[in-house]
Amino acid sequence: MVCVSSPGLSAQIERYPVPALPHRAVIDDFNGNGWPDIAVVSKYSDVTIFFDPGSRNGNRTLTLKAYFQPISLSVGDFNADGINDLIPITETLIGPFFLADGKGNFQKIDLKLYTPPFASFIEAGDLNNDKFDDLVVTGIGGAGPYVYINKQNGSFETIMVPLKGEEGKIKAGKPDDIKNVRVVSHHLTLIDLTSDGSKDILVPDELRGSLWLIQNKGKTFEPVEIFHEENTIAKTVASYRSKNAIIIILVLQKAQGMELVFMEGNSWPFPITKRIQLPNFISHLEIADMDNDGYPEILCLLQKNSRSFISLYMYNNFNAPVYEFPVSGPLSFAVADIDRDGFNDIIIPDYSENTLSIVYSPLKKK
């Protein structure tokens, strides 16, 4: 364990070796002992689970055999038994499903579902409020993401959601952009806009410079283009429900740098409340309360001066980060309280170093 200094702050760091090319980490208590576990998907070696790393006594790992070259991973309850399971994807297939028993064991289910072309990201959540988690997958080809509705019998209904549909439903863009244009999206997020238990879907469309809200209508999904700006790339999006409002932050890449577009409100549609210009390239974003003051912080995976960092900003102050952690080349990171001290930690699968780093409570006052 090492200590990394930052302006006025320090944090304890643990690093673990992982198989080659880790893409994403997800967190849950898979063995039912109250300590969070971390599952990491690596493109060249399946899914690795680290049990109880925050307990300081956790040394058990488990490898789950996935399909060839998995690239993303999600956690969800797919059989409504109250225990979360795991599901990886490759660029062409969803699965296999790993059903957890809550004691650290998994049953492999070889149900194969086909993804959108060149799939890149999977997320699980209950889209129809039936206690069975469903799936959403996006990619870098095709006309839009795929929604997979859990039919509660071990099978899923596949729904394609084109984001370049009828002209009357397009709120921005030129008529010749509407049809036969592929969608490029490396990320999506689920958000319950109406607090009814049914989640909606936010998808950044990189080629178009747009943010799409796929409204959940129960049995149908209606895409609405809620943001569009020419000559930009919509890189990633994050959402957060505070005590007073829902916050959505869209990351735009422009010729002169990056811009964060903030949308906030108590009911949909939300107005744009501010736009923040940043000179550094941002590829991933998370929103979380890191210091337990009731207000969120913004965590960015960014590049500056030919180096990469996880940079943590206070919500209303982007003059300088309050904490930075140097990294080699992760594709994403996650936020959770791994050591159960009441403060969020940062979990980083590093694609370049083939390591999993845990940055413990960077904003906890020592």
Side-chain angles (χ1 to χ4, degrees):
M1 183 177 297
V2 298
C3 187
V4 175
S5 296
S6 185
L9 295 168
S10 64
Q12 291 182 317
I13 315 296
E14 285 185 342
R15 285 189 175 90
Y16 302 88
V18 294
L21 307 185
H23 275 67
R24 189 185 184 194
V26 296
I27 295 92
D28 203 273
D29 180 10
F30 296 113
N31 57 6
N33 66 353
W35 287 95
D37 310 308
I38 303 173
V40 181
V41 65
S42 296
K43 186 172 184 179
Y44 289 161
S45 185
D46 310 313
V47 177
T48 305
I49 301 178
F50 295 85
F51 290 99
D52 315 328
S55 70
R56 304 300 194 269
N57 296 316
N59 55 14
R60 180 193 169 206
T61 62
L62 177 68
T63 298
L64 302 176
K65 184 65 178 177
Y67 299 144
F68 181 64
Q69 294 191 354
I71 59 169
S72 190
L73 179 70
S74 191
V75 60
D77 185 0
F78 304 117
N79 54 2
D81 63 353
I83 301 170
N84 277 336
D85 313 302
L86 284 168
I87 177 69
I89 63 168
T90 71
E91 290 185 345
T92 56
L93 290 173
I94 298 176
F97 290 89
F98 297 102
L99 300 182
D101 67 356
K103 300 178 182 179
N105 306 304
F106 293 84
Q107 178 187 4
K108 183 179 179 180
I109 306 294
D110 278 316
L111 173 65
K112 294 184 180 179
L113 297 170
Y114 289 97
T115 67
F118 303 104
S120 59
F121 191 84
I122 185 171
E123 194 64 275
D126 188 358
L127 298 178
N128 52 5
N129 204 13
D130 65 354
K131 309 302 181 184
F132 287 77
D133 277 345
D134 311 292
L135 302 169
V136 187
V137 178
T138 192
I140 57 175
Y146 288 12
V147 174
Y148 304 84
I149 298 299
N150 194 329
K151 297 174 67 175
Q152 306 181 12
N153 60 359
S155 65
F156 289 74
E157 175 188 2
T158 302
I159 302 173
M160 300 173 61
V161 186
L163 300 186
K164 302 292 189 294
E166 299 173 7
E167 184 171 353
K169 293 183 179 179
I170 301 294
K171 299 181 69 175
K174 301 175 183 178
D176 58 0
D177 290 336
I178 295 172
K179 297 179 180 179
N180 301 320
V181 180
R182 70 187 180 99
V183 172
V184 172
S185 184
H186 288 86
H187 186 230
L188 63 86
T189 189
L190 304 183
I191 179 173
D192 184 358
L193 292 176
T194 57
S195 300
D196 63 354
S198 298
K199 296 181 182 296
D200 305 284
I201 308 163
L202 290 170
V203 181
D205 181 351
E206 296 181 26
L207 284 182
R208 189 179 176 83
S210 300
L211 178 63
W212 292 82
L213 168 65
I214 301 177
Q215 295 178 310
N216 187 346
K217 301 295 185 179
K219 296 183 179 180
T220 62
F221 295 87
E222 180 179 316
V224 179
E225 192 176 34
I226 63 174
F227 180 90
H228 172 80
E229 192 164 296
E230 295 288 340
N231 302 315
T232 66
I233 297 173
K235 289 296 297 182
T236 187
V237 65
S239 63
Y240 180 88
R241 183 179 289 275
S242 68
K243 295 179 181 179
N244 301 317
I246 293 176
I247 301 167
I248 298 171
I249 304 179
L250 174 65
V251 178
L252 294 178
Q253 181 180 343
K254 299 184 174 183
Q256 68 273 24
M258 307 298 290
E259 185 174 47
L260 306 184
V261 180
F262 291 71
M263 306 176 194
E264 301 179 41
N266 295 308
S267 61
W268 189 259
F270 303 146
I272 295 176
T273 56
K274 60 182 174 181
R275 301 175 69 143
I276 303 293
Q277 299 281 343
L278 291 176
N280 307 306
F281 178 81
I282 298 173
S283 57
H284 187 78
L285 184 84
E286 295 287 345
I287 313 173
D289 184 358
M290 302 296 292
D291 55 4
N292 287 348
D293 65 350
Y295 298 95
E297 279 72 48
I298 312 299
L299 298 91
C300 303
L301 171 55
L302 58 80
Q303 294 178 344
K304 61 179 179 180
N305 301 324
S306 301
R307 299 183 62 192
S308 297
F309 299 86
I310 305 292
S311 298
L312 201 158
Y313 294 87
M314 305 303 287
Y315 186 74
N316 291 314
N317 186 355
F318 282 85
N319 293 327
V322 293
Y323 181 84
E324 280 194 328
F325 178 66
V327 292
S328 293
L331 302 178
S332 66
F333 61 91
V335 177
D337 185 4
I338 297 297
D339 57 355
R340 302 196 312 181
D341 68 346
F343 288 81
N344 276 321
D345 314 305
I346 309 173
I347 302 92
I348 309 162
D350 199 305
Y351 187 88
S352 295
E353 288 188 346
N354 297 327
T355 59
L356 175 71
S357 295
I358 306 174
V359 182
Y360 287 104
S361 310
L363 292 196
K364 181 179 180 179
K365 294 181 179 179
K366 304 299 189 273

